[in-house]
Amino acid sequence: MDGRIVAGTVSFPVPEGWPVLQTEGAPCGHQKRTVLIGEGPNPYGPSPWCTTADIEVHSLFDFYPYRYDTHDQNGPGMVTGLLASPTRMLTLHGGEPVWLREDPDGARLIVLPWSRVAVTVRGGVEVWQQVLNSITTGRWEPAALTLPRQVEEVSMMVAGEDKQSLRLIRDPAQVQRAVELLRAGTVVDEPEFCTGEMQMTKGLITIQPREPAPADPVAGRRPSTLVVTLGRDCHEVVSEEGGRVRLDAEAIAELGDILGVRLSW
């Protein structure tokens, strides 16, 4: 549309002279100085597409913050979930969070969880920065965290640590208290957003619902992912399903005690 990629409320200009290809039917292999657009693959299974490009724009099946590596010592088909890299969070004008990640293969991801769009840049850091600086979105109203009504378990993958850093709680009283702390966070709006590019992303909280949810190929119900960023005077939590809140130091400390990790900054 007028030289721009438009996916829902997300929009950014196509680099001058670059062709735009649909993922389905595109030639296999890496397409340089090309934008590839289409439906995102199911991250729980093999990708049906054989094409990559310097910029890829796909609908987001799931935030899916982990990379899954196969390890022979675990046996065929066994995988270990690791954070691909610490996920940094920025806020675009209009209020939508952007989650940034660099994968081991060098791809840089720009994830817009509320718009359900992911932009993968393989054309280098300059192209990645150009895309990031040019993205516009619609206006998102401030809201509390969107969480399941009933929660079965709460887990946290701590950024910067190894695969042993997954903290998991299933005790009903602890689960209830963790969810209470998250629900009680103070809703923030522009210009009160304090999360910036240098903000420390401490980890990813996963909320597993007890009630049935949209079909999940693995578990039959879909978890929600939250990103926790910490700073001296800025502790924000954003849910992929919507909502952004700020927690005070006491709430952060108690949440860390429940999860068995020191949430410091």
Side-chain angles (χ1 to χ4, degrees):
M1 178 184 295
D2 297 326
R4 299 183 69 86
I5 297 294
V6 178
T9 65
V10 176
S11 172
F12 66 90
V14 177
E16 186 174 355
W18 287 33
V20 178
L21 300 179
Q22 293 283 340
T23 301
E24 188 174 4
C28 288
H30 183 73
Q31 309 300 311
K32 293 184 177 180
R33 297 178 60 81
T34 298
V35 179
L36 191 68
I37 61 174
E39 183 178 349
N42 179 345
Y44 298 103
S47 172
W49 318 122
C50 60
T51 311
T52 59
D54 279 359
I55 298 176
E56 302 168 16
V57 184
H58 289 126
S59 57
L60 194 61
F61 176 89
D62 196 358
F63 170 56
Y64 202 62
Y66 313 114
R67 83 172 188 266
Y68 278 74
D69 296 335
T70 299
H71 296 279
D72 293 337
Q73 65 267 29
N74 292 335
M78 298 297 291
V79 294
T80 301
L82 300 173
L83 283 178
S85 67
T87 300
R88 293 183 296 129
M89 184 170 73
L90 304 179
T91 304
L92 297 176
H93 180 69
E96 175 152 13
V98 175
W99 294 344
L100 308 176
R101 186 178 97 219
E102 183 172 352
D103 279 356
D105 63 0
R108 292 176 171 85
L109 273 70
I110 303 169
V111 178
L112 296 101
W114 298 350
S115 293
R116 315 305 292 177
V117 173
V119 182
T120 303
V121 179
R122 305 179 192 274
V125 66
E126 290 185 5
V127 176
W128 174 81
Q129 195 66 57
Q130 176 184 342
V131 172
L132 182 60
N133 291 344
S134 63
I135 289 177
T136 62
T137 70
R139 166 69 179 165
W140 293 86
E141 295 299 326
L145 296 175
T146 300
L147 300 172
R149 290 192 300 275
Q150 295 181 323
V151 178
E152 182 176 41
E153 64 183 39
V154 178
S155 62
M156 183 171 189
M157 183 74 79
V158 182
E161 298 187 17
D162 62 21
K163 63 181 179 295
Q164 302 302 319
S165 63
L166 177 64
R167 323 294 196 202
L168 175 65
I169 57 170
R170 290 196 176 99
D171 176 76
Q174 289 185 311
V175 168
Q176 180 179 353
R177 182 55 182 159
V179 173
E180 286 176 352
L181 289 168
L182 293 168
R183 290 193 196 281
T186 301
V187 176
V188 290
D189 191 12
E190 293 183 283
E192 298 171 335
F193 302 135
C194 58
T195 299
E197 188 165 357
M198 301 308 294
Q199 185 84 356
M200 177 189 296
T201 299
K202 185 60 181 180
L204 300 142
I205 293 178
T206 301
I207 307 292
Q208 183 72 57
R210 181 180 296 117
E211 59 187 354
D216 181 310
V218 173
R221 49 198 171 167
R222 177 180 174 160
S224 297
T225 298
L226 290 74
V227 167
V228 180
T229 62
L230 304 178
R232 183 172 299 278
D233 298 308
C234 176
H235 316 310
E236 288 190 351
V237 183
V238 168
S239 170
E240 67 167 321
E241 301 296 337
R244 174 199 301 266
V245 300
R246 186 171 302 157
L247 301 182
D248 60 26
E250 291 75 18
I252 284 290
E254 184 178 353
L255 188 61
D257 288 342
I258 293 170
L259 291 164
V261 58
R262 185 170 181 264
L263 293 178
S264 59
W265 55 94

